[in-house]
């Protein structure tokens, strides 16, 4: 039964319509443990001071297997060809994405097994690919990271649409945003235009990171009515036009 299940999983890996990588991170985990024993706490600061250690980290990661979708996406005929050009494809030795991926792995909590990062890679032909990368330590390998399954999702078209939308909003006076409001009233900003800098003096990234930031600028006398109108519009799926004061 287990052999049949393993064969089924192997077959799915090979025919999956997304890029899949099976990698061995065990040497990287050993390196992380060594650095922690030496007293390193902040990996980001350490790598910024010793950028050559980023190369050392990625040299410790071994690619065991990729599927056909990976070869097709990156323009490689086989795994050996891909491995020969790995640094050119992923720019692991020099990119900010590689740095951020390592910090995300370092910061994994004991009960966590997955990270997700945005990255830019290149095909063997030099074409840019905007990618969303999900890496998961497989069950049974939590203690040594000997098998990590990585899914690489090509989001180039999505990134292009978002950039086009951002360019359009730059021509619109004021601020443009897209927000998701949950039934409990909590909110999550999906997009914030650069107009927020002029109105509130904060960055779009700050608003995305703290959904309650903009509310902190509302005039205390206007806030209750603003909240009531927004909740009513969300509940009844109504369009909304309100005025309120902000205090900088």
């Amino acid at each position: 039964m287990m052999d049949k299940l393993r064969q089924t999983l192997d077959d799915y890996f090979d025919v999956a319509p997304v890029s899949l990588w099976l990698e061995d991170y065990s040497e990287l985990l050993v390196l992380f443990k060594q650095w922690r024993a030496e007293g390193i706490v902040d990996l980001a600061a350490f790598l910024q001071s010793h950028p050559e250690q980023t190369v050392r980290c990625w040299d410790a990661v071994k690619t065991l297997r990729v599927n056909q979708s990976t070869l097709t996406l990156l323009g490689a005929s086989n795994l050996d060809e891909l491995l020969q050009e790995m640094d050119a494809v992923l720019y692991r030795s020099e990119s900010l994405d590689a740095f951020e991926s390592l910090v995300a792995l370092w910061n994994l909590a004991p009960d966590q097994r997955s990270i997700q990062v945005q990255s830019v890679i290149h095909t063997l032909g030099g074409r840019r690919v905007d990618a969303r990368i999900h890496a998961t330590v497989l069950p049974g390998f939590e203690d040594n990271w000997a098998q990590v399954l990585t899914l690489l999702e090509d989001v180039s078209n999505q990134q292009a649409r978002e950039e086009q939308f951002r360019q359009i909003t730059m021509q619109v006076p004021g601020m443009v945003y897209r927000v998701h409001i949950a039934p409990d009233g909590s909110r999550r900003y999906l997009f914030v235009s650069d107009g927020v800098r002029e109105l509130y003096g904060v960055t779009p990234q700050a608003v995305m990171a703290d959904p309650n930031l903009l509310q902190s600028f509302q005039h205390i006398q206007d806030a209750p009515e603003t909240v009531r109108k927004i909740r009513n519009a969300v509940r009844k799926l109504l369009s909304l036009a309100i005025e309120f004061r902000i205090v900088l």
Side-chain angles (χ1 to χ4, degrees), residues 40-247:
I40 295 172
V41 176
D42 187 341
L43 184 68
F46 174 70
L47 292 180
Q48 286 172 343
S49 301
H50 304 84
E52 74 283 354
Q53 296 300 327
T54 298
V55 181
R56 183 183 178 190
C57 286
W58 287 119
D59 282 346
V61 174
K62 309 302 180 187
T63 300
L64 306 175
R65 183 179 175 187
V66 299
N67 66 351
Q68 183 58 48
S69 293
T70 300
L71 299 176
T72 301
L73 173 65
L74 299 178
S77 57
N78 52 54
L79 177 58
D80 289 339
E81 182 183 11
L82 178 60
L83 292 178
Q84 290 175 5
E85 303 294 335
M86 186 69 80
D87 193 58
V89 169
L90 300 181
Y91 287 91
R92 281 179 163 172
S93 64
E94 58 189 47
S95 75
L96 179 61
D97 300 324
F99 172 86
E100 292 178 344
S101 297
L102 291 171
V103 172
L105 287 165
W106 174 274
N107 290 332
L108 271 179
D111 60 340
Q112 293 179 316
R113 295 190 296 115
S114 301
I115 65 166
Q116 176 179 306
V117 295
Q118 295 287 123
S119 184
V120 174
I121 64 175
H122 293 78
T123 67
L124 268 61
R127 180 176 67 86
R128 172 186 170 125
V129 176
D130 292 291
R132 182 179 295 119
I133 298 176
H134 313 255
T136 301
V137 179
L138 293 180
F141 298 93
E142 295 89 347
D143 293 335
N144 57 23
W145 292 9
Q147 288 200 8
V148 175
L149 182 65
T150 299
L151 185 154
L152 191 154
E153 180 184 2
D154 183 356
V155 294
S156 301
N157 291 336
Q158 177 184 335
Q159 293 288 94
R161 289 194 298 270
E162 290 179 355
E163 176 59 22
Q164 182 181 37
F165 183 62
R166 191 184 70 82
Q167 292 295 331
I168 292 173
T169 61
M170 289 177 64
Q171 312 306 317
V172 178
M175 168 188 167
V176 178
Y177 63 89
R178 186 164 66 238
V179 62
H180 173 268
I181 301 179
D184 64 359
S186 62
R187 62 185 63 197
R188 177 169 59 92
Y189 285 90
L190 307 176
F191 174 83
V192 180
S193 73
D194 282 338
V196 71
R197 300 176 188 270
E198 183 176 353
L199 279 176
Y200 288 89
V202 298
T203 66
Q205 292 78 11
V207 178
M208 300 276 282
D210 181 1
N212 297 316
L213 179 60
L214 296 186
Q215 291 176 286
S216 68
F217 288 98
Q218 280 193 20
H219 193 288
I220 190 171
Q221 294 179 353
D222 298 340
E225 182 66 7
T226 300
V227 171
R228 186 191 67 79
K229 288 183 176 180
I230 291 175
R231 287 179 176 174
N232 182 64
V234 170
R235 184 174 62 255
K236 297 181 179 180
L237 300 180
L238 301 174
S239 59
L240 178 66
I242 55 176
E243 293 184 7
F244 56 86
R245 294 166 289 179
I246 60 175
V247 181

